């Protein structure tokens, strides 16, 4: 074997997955088609749950140092209040995708991830023992890599998905959008946000001094996706929508996207898995795609590592599909709704006004915010505690060594049994998993914890937290902790006990 896992694609998803696997001691190679980074940035922001995920790994400060917190988010261009809510990071962080990739690549380097540029996956053969990955490289001779698993993080047109014969059903595009980073000397305003007009809408967002990100969306106008977009097309589109090009010049890059929404029928075919845009594409409304890819990676990383290291059965990988396919389905659904709400016309104008008037209600705002930020995700985990399956709140804790936070306990990407009542019984049960699960005894600084989509709940007596920050088991504040359920959760998620 050349590696335990080969990852196709060094975008945000592939890099995050590689880091998660390395943290768990897995040998991983990332192969990337490009010779070097292009500097292009489709995404321009990250949401609360992704910021929390980076915080769980102790690398959030690097992103906060580069990005700019925003006071609001949006649903189909309608502003969504991001005031105080149940996260330490209650804001979208404006940060370019190129910066996200640079920071993830730096972290990957520190962890010893091998990234091979100019290496394009062109063939796959899987058998009982592993996967042979054929690569087209800059060298004349074709290269192959042999690994136990291959993960396709190779974007919306994923070669890995196609070669695996995995279906990609969904809905066709109904519009065409152009995006370009340009200079715009005659724009009379600093910022134009989703200006609606007869054929669609346009925005001009000042990202850095001197240049703007221009986005034009034209409905019922679908162009050939294989034709490369040009600066002139962007200019003409802006003229059609805004009546002028505002003296647009000096494009840094131009790209095209649309509202086609498709999702892989399965995220796993034997030893081949899919994550990120390779598994789902959709209208980029609300800025969810990169976030979802990073979170796919964090869900898959520890599971794949456990299977590779022989600690859990292969069936654990099926929970990756179960959990993340449902999340993807929901995002496709909300982006279809956002696309419908963006169509031009008097009827949609009226619908937007009504929808916007509903968004001022706290409950509506909270619901949409939970959905866009992914903070309200609940995986189908056994147990009826309100925290079961949800992401663990980042509560303040006191331990014998001083103060800490729940998310800080996850820096090493290992499962944690957090005992908030000092129960000898729990520690004894967890003894069988001592090689895999860290037991932390602490006191919660707060009697109640805020849970997105639920409200305040009494701090639990104990929690079993998966490396991705989701709760595998929780003991209620009062009453017996339920050690049988704890033992079952430990076995389900982290394999059988070492002895007994
Ligand atoms: C206009 C626009 C704005 C957006 N804004 C946001 C936003 O604000 N927030 C957000 O969360 N998302 C946003 N998105 C979505 C986001 O850009 C994507 O979801 C994200 O890039 C997906 O990351 P990925 O790593 O899965 O795939 P990609 O970023 O597409 O990376 C895939 C990588 O695989 C490589 N590759 C492809 N084929 C092969 C092969 N055969 N072998 C080896 N390597 C290969 C590619 O070169 C690439 O480097 C936006 C998208 C658009 C179009």
């Amino acid at each position: 074997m050349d590696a335990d896992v080969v990852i196709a694609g060094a975008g945000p998803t592939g890099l995050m997955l590689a880091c998660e696997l390395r943290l768990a001691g897995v040998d991983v190679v990332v192969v990337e088609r490009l010779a070097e980074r292009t500097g292009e940035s489709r995404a321009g922001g990250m949401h609360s749950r992704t910021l929390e995920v980076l915080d769980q790994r102790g690398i959030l400060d690097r992103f906060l140092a580069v990005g700019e917190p925003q006071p609001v988010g949006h649903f189909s261009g309608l502003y969504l209040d991001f005031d105080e809510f149940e996260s330490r990071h209650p804001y979208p962080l404006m940060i370019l995708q190129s910066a996200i990739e640079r920071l993830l690549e730096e972290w990957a380097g520190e962890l010893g991830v091998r990234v091979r540029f100019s290496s394009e996956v062109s063939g796959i053969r899987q058998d009982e023992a592993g996967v042979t990955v054929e690569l087209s490289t800059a060298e004349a001779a074709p290269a192959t890599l042999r690994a136990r698993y291959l993960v396709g993080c190779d974007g919306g047109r994923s070669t890995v998905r196609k070669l695996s014969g995995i279906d990609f059903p969904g809905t066709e595009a109904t519009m065409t959008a152009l995006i370009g980073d340009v200079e715009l000397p005659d724009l009379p305003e600093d910022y134009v946000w989703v200006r609606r007009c007869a054929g669609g809408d346009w925005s001009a967002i000042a990202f850095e001094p001197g240049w703007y990100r221009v986005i034009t969306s034209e409905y019922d106008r679908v162009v050939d996706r294989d034709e490369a977009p040009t600066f002139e097309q962007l200019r003409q589109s802006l003229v059609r929508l805004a009546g002028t090009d505002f003296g647009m010049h000096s494009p840094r890059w131009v790209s095209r996207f649309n509202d086609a929404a498709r999702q892989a029928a399965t995220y796993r075919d034997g030893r081949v898995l899919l994550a990120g845009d390779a598994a789902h594409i959709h209208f980029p409304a609300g800025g969810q795609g990169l976030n979802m890819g990073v979170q796919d990676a964090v869900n898959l990383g520890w599971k794949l590592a456990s299977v590779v290291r022989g600690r859990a059965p292969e069936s654990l990988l099926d929970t990756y599909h179960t959990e993340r396919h449902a999340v993807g389905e929901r995002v496709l659904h909300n982006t279809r709704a956002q696309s419908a709400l963006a169509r031009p016309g008097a009827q949609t104008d009226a619908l937007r006004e009504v929808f916007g008037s509903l968004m001022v209600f706290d409950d509506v705002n909270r619901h949409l915010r939970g959905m866009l930020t992914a903070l309200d995700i609940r995986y189908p985990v056994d147990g009826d505690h309100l925290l079961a399956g949800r992401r663990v709140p980042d509560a303040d804790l006191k331990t014998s060594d001083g103060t800490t936070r729940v998310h800080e306990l996850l820096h090493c990407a290992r499962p944690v049994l957090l005992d908030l009542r000092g129960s000898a019984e729990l520690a004894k049960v967890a003894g069988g998993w001592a090689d895999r699960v860290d037991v932390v005894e602490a006191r919660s600084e707060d009697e109640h914890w805020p849970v997105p989509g639920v409200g305040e709940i009494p701090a639990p007596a104990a929690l079993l937290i998966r490396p991705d920050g989701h709760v595998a088991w929780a003991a209620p504040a009062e009453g017996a902790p339920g050690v049988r359920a704890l033992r079952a959760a430990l076995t389900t998620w982290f394999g059988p006990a070492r002895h007994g």
Side-chain angles (χ1 to χ4, degrees):
M1 293 279 169
D2 298 298
D4 292 324
V5 178
V6 169
I7 295 174
T13 307
L15 290 170
M16 188 72 197
L17 178 62
C19 293
E20 291 290 297
L21 290 167
R22 277 304 303 145
L23 279 172
V26 171
D27 184 24
V28 56
V29 179
V30 184
V31 291
E32 167 57 53
R33 172 179 66 182
L34 296 173
E36 57 185 345
R37 299 258 167 235
T38 61
E40 294 180 3
S41 281
R42 284 175 288 163
M46 289 198 292
H47 282 302
S48 305
R49 182 58 192 142
T50 310
L51 300 176
E52 287 189 353
V53 157
L54 298 172
D55 191 24
Q56 286 173 193
R57 297 297 179 256
I59 56 164
L60 177 62
D61 286 351
R62 307 177 187 197
F63 294 80
L64 295 181
V66 177
E68 190 71 44
Q70 299 299 298
V72 291
H74 75 95
F75 189 85
S76 194
L78 296 164
Y79 284 123
L80 194 59
D81 187 7
F82 266 56
D83 261 2
E84 283 302 291
F85 63 98
E86 309 90 339
S87 170
R88 264 181 217 276
H89 308 288
Y91 47 82
L93 186 75
M94 188 156 108
I95 178 169
L96 289 174
Q97 183 161 342
S98 54
I100 295 170
E101 286 167 358
R102 176 174 55 76
L103 292 170
L104 287 176
E105 203 175 320
E106 271 169 29
W107 186 40
E110 291 161 24
L111 293 172
V113 172
R114 292 177 281 160
V115 183
R116 284 177 54 171
F117 284 88
S118 301
S119 303
E120 178 172 3
V121 172
S122 54
I124 302 171
R125 270 174 288 125
Q126 66 164 309
D127 52 53
E128 293 264 293
V131 190
T132 303
V133 183
E134 287 167 17
L135 300 171
S136 307
T137 65
E139 338 279 277
T144 58
L145 283 175
R146 178 91 179 141
R148 296 177 62 190
Y149 289 90
L150 166 68
V151 188
C153 302
D154 49 344
R157 298 182 183 205
S158 171
T159 303
V160 172
R161 186 186 68 231
K162 289 174 192 160
L163 290 174
S164 304
I166 296 175
D167 271 358
F168 201 43
T171 46
E172 298 293 335
T174 67
M175 48 84 75
T176 293
L178 287 162
I179 178 171
D181 291 343
V182 297
E183 294 187 30
L184 217 54
D186 303 338
L187 188 74
E189 295 146 271
D190 280 346
Y191 201 95
V192 175
W193 179 247
V194 190
R195 182 139 320 152
R196 289 167 60 72
C197 35
D201 59 72
W202 64 281
S203 300
I205 305 160
F207 255 79
E208 280 171 8
W211 64 271
Y212 287 82
R213 171 155 292 188
V214 171
I215 304 172
T216 63
S217 300
E218 294 187 82
Y219 284 75
D220 301 319
R221 192 183 172 91
V222 179
V223 299
D224 178 6
R225 286 182 63 221
D226 292 326
E227 179 203 317
T230 64
F231 170 70
E232 183 52 24
Q233 287 171 351
L234 176 66
R235 204 188 62 74
Q236 285 174 12
S237 176
L238 186 61
V239 171
R240 275 195 298 275
L241 294 168
T244 166
D245 68 0
F246 300 108
M248 181 196 280
H249 66 88
S250 305
R252 294 184 175 188
W253 67 286
V254 175
S255 185
R256 187 193 293 121
F257 62 94
N258 60 39
D259 65 344
R262 299 186 171 277
Q263 190 177 21
T266 179
Y267 284 16
R268 175 180 176 222
D269 171 40
R271 294 180 171 275
V272 177
L273 296 118
L274 300 175
D277 277 17
H280 38 70
I281 56 157
H282 55 82
F283 192 44
Q288 301 168 86
L290 181 151
N291 286 271
M292 187 160 48
V294 167
Q295 288 165 45
D296 285 349
V298 173
N299 184 289
L300 175 60
W302 65 274
K303 293 175 182 173
L304 186 52
S306 295
V307 173
V308 164
R309 302 190 69 193
R311 289 174 166 172
E314 278 218 324
S315 56
L316 183 63
L317 296 176
D318 294 328
T319 69
Y320 165 64
H321 169 87
T322 308
E323 295 182 347
R324 294 306 297 174
H325 191 275
V327 168
E329 218 170 340
R330 199 174 69 139
V331 170
L332 260 63
H333 196 63
N334 88 49
T335 56
R336 283 189 186 112
Q338 294 190 69
S339 166
L341 208 46
R343 292 189 72 79
Q347 285 83 358
T348 320
D349 288 344
L351 181 62
R352 287 177 75 82
E353 214 174 298
V354 172
F355 198 87
S357 72
L358 296 175
M359 283 168 67
V360 301
F361 291 104
D362 273 354
D363 282 350
V364 177
N365 200 80
R366 195 175 304 118
H367 172 73
L368 293 174
R369 211 169 50 196
M371 191 165 74
L372 289 181
T373 58
L375 280 172
D376 68 353
I377 286 173
R378 187 176 197 184
Y379 294 140
V381 161
D382 285 345
D384 51 13
H385 194 283
L386 280 170
L387 284 175
R390 294 182 198 276
R391 76 82 162 99
V392 65
D394 188 24
D396 287 315
L397 301 174
K398 194 166 257 172
T399 68
S400 54
D401 296 332
T403 55
T404 184
R405 299 180 286 116
V406 176
H407 289 183
E408 265 185 29
L409 303 177
L410 296 167
H411 282 187
C412 300
R414 279 170 59 87
V416 173
L417 178 65
L418 178 58
D419 180 357
L420 297 165
R421 295 278 199 284
S423 158
E425 204 184 359
L426 295 186
K428 195 166 158 224
V429 172
W433 286 264
D435 57 333
R436 275 157 282 172
V437 179
D438 295 335
V439 179
V440 176
E441 213 180 291
R443 294 274 171 275
S444 171
E445 296 275 55
D446 301 298
E447 280 182 23
H448 289 88
W449 287 7
V451 181
V454 175
E456 297 262 321
I457 66 161
L463 287 169
L464 179 62
I465 311 167
R466 309 189 321 189
D468 58 4
H470 280 258
V471 174
W473 166 89
E478 306 292 339
V483 288
R484 187 182 294 188
L486 170 61
R487 200 173 279 117
L490 282 161
T491 309
T492 299
W493 297 108
F494 312 119
R498 214 168 21 146
H499 41 77

